[in-house]
Amino acid sequence: MIGEFALPPGLVMLLGGAFVPLLGERWRSAGVLLLASLSLVIFCLTPGGTYGQFPFLGVAVTAVRIDPLSNLFGLVFHFAAILAAIFAWHLRDWRQQTAGTIYAGAAIAACFAGDLLTLFVYWELTAIASVFLVWAGGTRQAYRSGMRYLIVQVGSGVLLLSGVVIQYVETQTLDFVSMTPASGVFSLGPLLILIAIGIKAAFPLLHNWLQDSYPQSTPSGTVYLSAFTTKLAIYALARGFPGTEALIWIGCAMTLFPIIFAVIENDLRRVLAYSLNNQLGFMVVGIGIGSQLAINGAVAHAFCHIIYKSLLFMSMGAVLYRVGTVKATELGGLYRSMPWTTGCCLIGAGAISGFPLLSGFISKSMILSAAGEAGLFWVWIILLVASAGVMEHSGIKIPFFAFFAHDSGKRPPEAPLHMLVAMVIAAGLCVLLGIAYPLLYRGLPHQATYQPYTVAHVITQLQLLMFAALAFVFLMKTKRYPAEQRAINLDTDWIYRQALPTLVAGFRIVLGASDRFVRNSAVRLIVAAIQLVKSWFDEHALFGRPWSSGTMTFWAGVLLASCLLLYYWTD
Amino acid sequence: MSMKRTKRHGLDVGNSDGLPRSGGDWFARPANIQRFIYGLYFVCAVLVLADWVYEDPHPYFAVEKIYAFQAWFGFAAFVVIVYLGKLLRLIVRRPEDYYDR
């Protein structure tokens, strides 16, 4: 690009998405793919640097910043958008295609936002565009879940904007740089920004919008959703809060609690949503540790994660597309008729579990090593437990219950060709990243000298994974592994879906009753008063009955005499 | 897929440990499943024995020097996670239409 001007990466998709509905139905899928590819080409041709500084309402705004940190996120977001566009080739629904394109474009543009204000604009755009993907599920549950999703996401945006305004007032700058306080005590601006990011990154207790909404979308909608929002938050966290110690423990909690929910969840796309939450935990821990190795690990893990998580959501999307459900209780034995989908799912499962030669291994081990180098023993232990947990729900449960396990008798046809193409490319990338890892390491924000394939690394990792698999066999053989059940599990969404509405309903009953009591009492009081006064003016009562003129004259005389006496005394 | 084939497979419902008993495919034969599991035992045994032949040049923590630490740790962690799941299910399990009633 020439001089001081460059197109913000992603803008082609962001604006082009608006024209997608104008294309004919047959050309729309191609248009979506073309926009994503074109955006990737423009992105690759744009050199690093900051572009587009201009004054806006008296504030100096920077539109675009391209540096190593944003570069990797932008690159993998483009990959995800292209994979999702191929996977969604069958769509004949302009709303999803438009929403998906604009959503991906906004997420990419957000990575390259030059300052906090531009970040906010794209941040809100991702929220608004993506909710249409949740609603595309088409059910009443999807509609209501989308509403909850929208409230949470826009809420995050409002918090972000509040934080940005306070930050601007205090520091007179909109620069999006590290806001980690040296003293460890946050001032209000950065704190609000951190909470806004925390909502999108699905921090513990702020997480449940993710498991609530993602499984409600369409097969391809969830592939789009899984890639962008949460990783945008990880990017923002790596940019704004590296080395914030609290993040280590927040991340640890995030790696642990979802794996327990994942064990008992029946909806396999919800299992993947819990798994996604757990993976984000690894990245948050890395950002919290904040060393060069840890930040590299977090960024590399986000990169690899987007691809293998897309792959897993694609394989479950293909099952949903063919069978109409992804409930573990309804599935089983699908490998017979969907062997390619099974194979791709197994590669994704291996990658997320961290098997050597696949992408998860070369990124997750960096975070574990960073915890080790920092001497954080308990963090290291927790991440090991979490790794065994990943093996449980993503490595074994997802492929086992969908494609093997007991035979459900279902023989759906193999996934359509375009879905297989997307899955095979994603699986290929998982293998490529696992083997040709220096390609990724070269692009990391800090100089990387890390060596993932040492004998010790490979053997200890295989020990962990294989003995976890052995534990699964042991629990299955001894009938101790919990059977899948047609049920749902409560999570924190229970608070706002059940507890608060019940509380409000109860409050309204109490309030209504007390309101009625107060009103009725007041009415009764007034009626009684009127009755009383009425009785005084009755024709036989004191004021109502006819009085003789003699009595009147007497009392008038008494009144006059009293006045006279009063005047006399007061003088 | 022909109906006949579907029916044949429809009948071979897996046994209680979730593994299918019979069928025409490789994974459907119990003997092959057993072979697969023996393979897993073998790999596990090799991995444990491998701890004799190499030394971790820079262990971060003392526990890593315990023999085959990550092997038994992985096994134990997996079992604990599954049992915690079972425990959690007692608390949070609800009928599927819980929120729609």
Side-chain angles (χ1 to χ4, degrees), chain A residues 141 264 327 335-336 405-407 411 460 463 467 476-477 479-480 483 485 487-490 494 498, chain B residues 9 16-18 25 27-28 34 47-48 51 60 70-71 83 85-86 89 92-94 96 98-100:
Chain A
Q141 286 94 330
I264 52 173
K327 292 199 173 135
Y335 76 91
R336 292 176 176 87
H406 71 278
D407 187 2
R411 295 291 179 274
T460 51
Q463 282 177 341
F467 274 79
M476 278 307 238
K477 287 228 156 204
K479 301 188 172 79
R480 289 191 171 93
Q485 296 178 350
I488 61 155
N489 301 304
L490 304 183
W494 178 80
Q498 194 68 32
Chain B
H9 282 288
S16 48
D17 63 11
D25 306 272
F27 274 106
Q34 202 51 48
L47 285 169
V48 167
D51 253 29
Y60 298 117
Q70 296 215 11
Y83 270 85
K86 283 176 137 181
R89 184 176 256 174
V92 301
R93 197 187 106 114
R94 292 292 181 279
E96 276 185 314
Y98 176 77
Y99 285 119
D100 301 317

Side-chain angles (χ1 to χ4, degrees), chain A residues 201-394:
Chain A
F203 279 8
L205 304 180
L206 306 175
H207 67 280
N208 209 194
W209 60 267
L210 198 165
Q211 292 84 0
D212 181 14
S213 61
Y214 284 12
Q216 302 288 356
S217 183
T218 57
S220 54
T222 307
V223 176
Y224 270 107
L225 288 169
S226 74
F228 301 111
T229 299
T230 48
K231 262 63 73 183
L232 173 58
I234 293 298
Y235 160 75
L237 213 53
R239 173 76 73 191
F241 300 94
T244 301
E245 205 191 329
L247 291 179
I248 298 175
W249 300 108
I250 290 172
C252 282
M254 273 168 91
T255 60
L256 285 183
F257 81 87
I259 57 182
I260 300 168
F261 276 94
V263 175
I264 52 173
E265 180 57 54
N266 191 27
D267 183 324
L268 292 183
R269 288 203 300 172
R270 189 160 285 133
V271 172
L272 285 179
Y274 277 114
S275 156
L276 171 52
N277 213 166
N278 149 284
Q279 293 292 302
L280 296 171
F282 280 94
M283 300 168 211
V284 172
V285 168
I287 295 166
I289 295 170
S291 62
Q292 292 199 346
L293 178 62
I295 296 288
N296 273 351
V299 174
H301 202 48
F303 193 98
C304 298
H305 157 93
I306 287 176
I307 293 166
Y308 59 64
K309 189 51 91 177
S310 286
L311 174 55
L312 287 168
F313 269 115
M314 283 193 270
S315 66
M316 287 302 111
V319 169
L320 178 65
Y321 184 73
R322 284 305 196 202
V323 183
T325 179
V326 277
K327 292 199 173 135
T329 44
E330 318 291 317
L331 299 176
L334 300 187
Y335 76 91
R336 292 176 176 87
S337 58
M338 301 181 83
W340 284 89
T341 310
T342 308
C344 291
C345 181
L346 282 172
I347 292 177
I352 193 172
S353 306
F355 273 95
L357 302 182
L358 294 171
S359 58
F361 176 76
I362 59 115
S363 57
K364 196 185 348 182
S365 58
M366 280 172 109
I367 299 175
L368 275 147
S369 296
E373 277 188 7
L376 299 165
F377 177 68
W378 287 108
V379 174
W380 185 77
I381 288 286
I382 287 171
L383 294 185
L384 278 189
V385 175
S387 301
V390 176
M391 181 64 184
E392 196 283 324
H393 61 249
S394 292

Side-chain angles (χ1 to χ4, degrees), chain B residues 77-95:
Chain B
F78 192 100
V79 172
V80 168
I81 289 163
V82 168
Y83 270 85
L84 283 177
K86 283 176 137 181
L87 210 64
L88 183 69
R89 184 176 256 174
L90 296 177
I91 306 166
V92 301
R93 197 187 106 114
R94 292 292 181 279

